[in-house]
């Protein structure tokens, strides 16, 4: 094999590779011999067919295998010989077709990973915001739980339903006079103002009383989950059986017992511990951003343009998805728009992408040099978490990750990154600053909003030269978003209370399965990386 360097500029490399015809012929003979061992050809005993015949019968398939093997093995030998760590998949261009008796010539274009100086690394000094759990925080949390434990009691027959009241109804839906599947319900408790049903349904029932019959006319949303009902006008014949008034749960021992605790004191103690854990998560999130900002100021090295381009496209794709999901724009508004129309905005996105790639490579090198490891158990736990997101399809999820090494690497990457961040934070000199929970939450919320709205980001790196020494010759683990932060969790004190404590309106006591009026839940806005 002959190698000629054609380009050596920054992180870009290009080589001409020539594989001699003699080597290709030997490879082809070996492949044909493998074919002959298993080929069944009329007139010949197994393994005795002449190679010339096999070449006529299976030559194209054999040449395809030889070509793939030659390209892969030659590229690997090239990278080993030139001590290259590819940043992304190399680009291979064939100079000519593979022909018998002729040398194979091709070019390899590749971007290499930069040499990142981490020898003698010293963690930056960090400010750690600390929020103590106060009694008022505990009381406010329990009040929210109590607010979601409200029940409804039957009101007088003459009572007119208002927002916040519940009505017990029967309903039958039809489109063009024809009832449709899932459009019928009996003894359904609907809380007015909850947004449970499609827009316009609940509003038309404000002011009804027990015994009323009403025809509700609505139009199904264009994005409704049923293809047959999207954008259709419908009528619902509604019979009101009862009007029910809400009653808030009291914060007392009885509430605590309903949530699985012995008394109110036990509930408060559990909530206090939970809030303390939440505060710790918020503290770490705030401290992580401080660490990344400090590293971005200190380190400046060339990063592969291909990786920046990929990150840039991901940022832009995320922004487009968010705009469509929030109704700020429609999909057709972005047709043919591969990047922002505003040049300044595009430049800022690219600066953010460059920062993320640089921080990802830096954290990766720090992890490799300091032997930060991700255990198989940690990856398995993440697989289980992913499987839980798809009820009823757990087996398929497990099989997917078992067979897809690249997908497992994508799960491993953020685990590795968080462990490196923890490693660096442990090395850092920390100065504690006492703040309130509200201040801490506001600071982390600002970080989340900054990540979700890149054009408002103030985190672009300041250019400051950093010394460069050869890095360890280990390929950096696949880079995940360097600034992605797990959201602080606010689970209920007990598992059985999780849904009750979530910041959502209480569900009706007897939700009918697949009721047509039910509004499709809007997709959650994905945080920008």
């Amino acid at each position: 094999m002959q190698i000629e360097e054609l380009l050596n500029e920054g992180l870009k490399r290009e080589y001409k590779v020539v594989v001699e015809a003699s080597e290709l012929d030997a490879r082809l003979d070996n492949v044909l011999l493998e074919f002959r061992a298993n080929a069944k050809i009329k007139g010949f005993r197994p393994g005795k067919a002449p190679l010339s015949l096999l070449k006529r019968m299976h030559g194209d398939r054999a040449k395809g295998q030889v070509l793939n093997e030659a390209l892969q093995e030659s590229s690997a030998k090239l990278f080993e010989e030139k001590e290259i760590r590819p940043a992304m998949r190399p680009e291979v261009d064939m100079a000519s077709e593979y022909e018998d008796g002729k040398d194979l010539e091709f070019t390899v274009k590749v971007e290499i990973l930069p040499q990142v100086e981490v020898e003698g690394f010293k963690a930056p000094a960090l400010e750690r915001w600390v929020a103590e759990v106060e009694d008022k925080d505990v009381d406010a949390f329990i009040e929210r739980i109590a607010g979601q434990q409200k029940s409804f009691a039957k009101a007088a027959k003459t009572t007119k339903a208002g927002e916040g009241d519940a009505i017990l109804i029967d309903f039958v839906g039809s489109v063009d006079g024809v009832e449709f599947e899932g459009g019928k319900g009996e003894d359904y408790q609907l809380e007015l103002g909850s947004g449970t049903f499609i827009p316009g349904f609940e509003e038309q029932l404000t002011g009804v009383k027990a015994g009323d019959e009403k025809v509700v006319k609505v139009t199904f949303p264009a994005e409704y989950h049923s293809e047959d009902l999207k954008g259709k006008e419908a009528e619902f014949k509604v019979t009101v059986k009862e009007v029910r008034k809400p009653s808030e749960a009291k914060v007392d021992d009885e509430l605590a017992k309903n949530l699985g605790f012995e008394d109110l004191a036990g509930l408060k103690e559990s909530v206090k511990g939970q809030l303390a854990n939440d505060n710790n998560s918020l503290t770490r999130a705030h401290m992580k951003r401080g660490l990344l900002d400090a590293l971005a100021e200190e380190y400046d090295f060339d990063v592969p343009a291909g990786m920046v381009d990929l990150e840039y496209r991901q940022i832009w794709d995320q922004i487009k998805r968010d705009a469509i999901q929030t109704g700020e724009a429609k999909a057709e508004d972005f047709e043919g728009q591969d990047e922002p129309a505003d040049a300044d905005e595009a430049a800022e996105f690219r600066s953010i992408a460059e920062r993320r790639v640089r921080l990802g490579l830096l954290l990766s090198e720090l992890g490799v040099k300091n032997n930060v490891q991700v255990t198989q158990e940690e990856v398995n736990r993440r697989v289980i978490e992913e499987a839980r997101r798809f009820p009823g399809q757990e087996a398929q999820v497990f099989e997917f990750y078992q067979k897809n090494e690249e997908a497992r690497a994508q799960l491993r990457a953020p685990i590795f990154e968080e462990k490196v961040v923890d490693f660096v934070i442990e090395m850092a000199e920390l100065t504690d600053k006492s703040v309130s929970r509200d201040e801490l939450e506001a600071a982390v919320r600002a970080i989340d909003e900054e990540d979700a709205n890149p054009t408002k980001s103030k985190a672009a790196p300041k250019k400051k030269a950093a010394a460069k020494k050869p890095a360890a010759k280990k390929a950096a683990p696949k880079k995940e978003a360097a600034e992605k932060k797990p959201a602080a969790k606010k689970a209920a004190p007990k598992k059985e209370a999780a849904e009750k404590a979530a910041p959502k309106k209480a569900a009706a006591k007897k939700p009918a399965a697949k009721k047509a009026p039910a509004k499709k839940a809007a997709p959650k806005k994905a945080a920008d990386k």
Side-chain angles (χ1 to χ4, degrees):
M1 184 179 78
Q2 303 170 26
I3 300 173
E4 178 185 351
E5 186 174 76
L6 303 178
L7 177 68
N8 186 332
E9 184 178 295
L11 299 177
K12 294 182 178 180
R13 301 288 186 272
E14 184 175 346
Y15 300 92
K16 183 174 79 171
V17 179
V18 177
V19 181
E20 290 80 1
S22 57
E23 180 180 340
L24 296 173
D25 291 343
R27 285 177 176 272
L28 182 60
D29 288 345
N30 287 335
V31 171
L32 291 173
L33 286 172
E34 292 176 2
F35 285 180
R36 182 167 68 178
N38 300 308
K40 294 181 179 180
I41 300 176
K42 188 175 181 180
F44 296 94
R45 287 181 296 165
K48 297 299 181 179
L51 290 182
S52 57
L53 176 60
L54 288 169
K55 192 171 185 179
R56 288 198 301 272
M57 294 177 65
H58 303 289
D60 289 343
R61 183 158 66 98
K63 285 181 179 180
Q65 181 176 329
V66 168
L67 179 60
N68 287 333
E69 290 176 355
L71 291 176
Q72 291 177 9
E73 293 180 18
S74 298
S75 297
K77 186 176 180 181
L78 163 66
F79 297 152
E80 181 181 0
E81 183 176 318
K82 298 296 182 180
E83 298 182 349
I84 286 176
R85 298 190 301 162
M88 299 179 69
R89 187 185 298 274
E91 179 184 339
V92 177
D93 293 325
M94 301 293 298
S96 59
E97 294 292 331
Y98 169 29
E99 297 182 26
D100 290 344
K102 290 188 177 182
D103 295 344
L104 177 66
E105 181 180 320
F106 59 94
T107 59
V108 178
K109 298 177 182 178
V110 63
E111 279 192 289
I112 65 173
L113 289 170
Q115 294 179 333
V116 184
E117 170 53 53
V118 294
E119 293 292 343
F121 171 81
K122 188 177 187 303
L126 298 173
E127 186 175 65
R128 177 170 57 188
W129 285 23
V130 180
E132 299 295 334
V133 178
E134 301 179 21
D135 290 342
K136 66 180 182 65
D137 297 328
V138 175
D139 293 339
F141 191 90
I142 294 178
E143 286 288 349
R144 287 199 298 273
I145 295 176
Q148 293 156 15
Q149 301 296 309
K150 64 183 176 182
S151 58
F152 292 90
K154 182 178 179 181
K157 290 185 178 181
T158 56
T159 301
K160 293 184 177 181
E163 186 168 336
D165 294 338
I167 53 176
L168 188 68
I169 60 174
D170 293 343
F171 60 85
V172 177
S174 61
V175 173
D176 296 330
V178 180
E179 294 183 19
F180 53 85
E181 184 180 356
K184 186 175 183 179
E186 295 180 354
D187 292 334
Y188 188 93
Q189 178 175 281
L190 173 63
E191 182 181 348
L192 299 182
S194 65
T196 305
F197 283 8
I198 60 177
F201 190 98
E202 296 169 25
E203 291 84 346
Q204 295 180 54
L205 293 174
T206 300
V208 299
K209 59 184 184 297
D212 284 353
E213 295 184 354
K214 188 162 185 173
V215 175
V216 175
K217 297 182 179 181
V218 292
T219 300
F220 282 95
E223 68 277 8
Y224 195 69
H225 57 82
S226 171
E227 290 291 336
D228 295 335
L229 298 176
K230 283 182 177 180
K232 296 287 184 66
E233 293 182 357
E235 289 187 354
F236 288 87
K237 294 180 180 179
V238 179
T239 301
V240 181
K241 293 184 172 182
E242 293 179 7
V243 174
R244 296 174 174 179
K245 288 290 183 180
S247 59
E248 301 290 339
K250 294 181 180 179
V251 177
D252 54 17
D253 289 342
E254 190 62 31
L255 171 67
K257 289 177 181 177
N258 289 338
L259 294 173
F261 297 90
E262 292 186 4
D263 51 26
L264 183 58
L267 172 59
K268 286 187 174 183
E269 187 64 27
S270 178
V271 168
K272 185 175 182 179
Q274 175 184 308
L275 292 179
N277 290 335
D278 288 348
N279 286 357
N280 290 338
S281 296
L282 293 169
T283 293
R284 184 190 180 280
H286 184 264
M287 198 161 37
K288 178 182 177 181
R289 172 49 65 89
L291 169 64
L292 295 178
D293 287 347
L295 294 177
E297 286 194 18
E298 183 177 352
Y299 283 84
D300 179 29
F301 50 84
D302 291 339
V303 292
M307 295 181 73
V308 175
D309 289 342
L310 180 61
E311 189 71 39
Y312 174 79
R313 289 196 297 271
Q314 290 176 345
I315 291 173
W316 178 233
D317 288 344
Q318 182 67 59
I319 288 170
K320 290 191 292 186
R321 284 195 297 270
D322 289 348
I324 294 169
Q325 289 176 4
T326 58
E328 298 173 18
K330 297 180 180 178
E332 51 265 31
D333 295 335
F334 295 108
E335 287 183 2
Q337 194 173 348
D338 296 329
E339 61 180 349
D342 184 270
D344 292 337
E345 193 175 69
E348 186 166 5
F349 288 170
R350 190 163 292 279
S351 176
I352 294 167
E354 185 177 316
R355 166 190 161 107
R356 292 181 180 179
V357 171
R358 184 176 288 111
L359 286 171
L361 293 174
L362 174 59
L363 291 176
S364 176
E365 196 67 32
L366 283 170
V368 170
K369 281 292 185 67
N370 291 282
N371 198 32
V372 175
Q373 300 289 334
V374 176
T375 66
Q376 189 62 47
E377 182 181 356
E378 289 170 325
V379 176
N380 290 342
R381 283 201 298 267
R382 189 61 60 88
V383 172
I384 293 172
E385 290 174 9
E386 286 296 304
R388 286 175 176 167
R389 296 175 53 222
F390 301 93
Q393 303 178 51
E394 291 88 350
Q396 293 94 315
V397 174
F398 282 117
E399 183 179 4
F400 170 75
Y401 283 107
Q402 184 178 16
K403 295 182 177 179
N404 193 325
E405 184 59 37
E406 184 175 350
R408 290 179 68 84
Q410 290 175 349
L411 292 183
R412 178 189 178 279
I415 302 172
F416 176 82
E417 182 177 282
E418 292 305 317
K419 294 185 77 168
V420 175
V421 168
D422 287 337
F423 171 80
V424 176
I425 288 176
E426 288 179 6
M427 297 170 58
E429 180 182 340
L430 304 179
T431 302
D432 287 348
K433 177 182 178 181
S434 182
V435 297
S436 68
R437 181 181 174 90
D438 288 343
E439 289 176 311
L440 184 55
E441 284 185 325
V444 174
R445 186 164 52 249
I447 292 172
D448 291 341
E449 291 174 354
E450 190 175 271
D451 288 343
N453 298 278
T455 53
K456 298 179 182 179
S457 175
K458 307 298 181 185
K462 296 179 181 178
K463 299 294 182 182
K464 186 180 290 185
K468 296 181 180 180
K469 294 182 182 179
K473 295 174 184 176
K474 292 184 180 180
K478 186 172 181 180
K479 182 250 174 195
E480 193 70 9
E483 297 171 72
K484 187 173 182 181
K485 174 192 71 62
K489 297 181 180 178
K490 286 190 177 181
K494 285 268 187 171
K495 180 180 179 181
E496 47 272 90
E499 294 183 357
K500 299 177 183 178
K504 297 180 181 178
K505 294 179 181 277
K509 289 184 178 178
K510 290 181 64 179
K514 298 183 180 178
K515 299 299 180 186
K519 182 171 66 176
K520 184 181 180 182
K524 294 182 180 179
K525 182 177 181 181
D528 184 53
K529 292 181 179 177

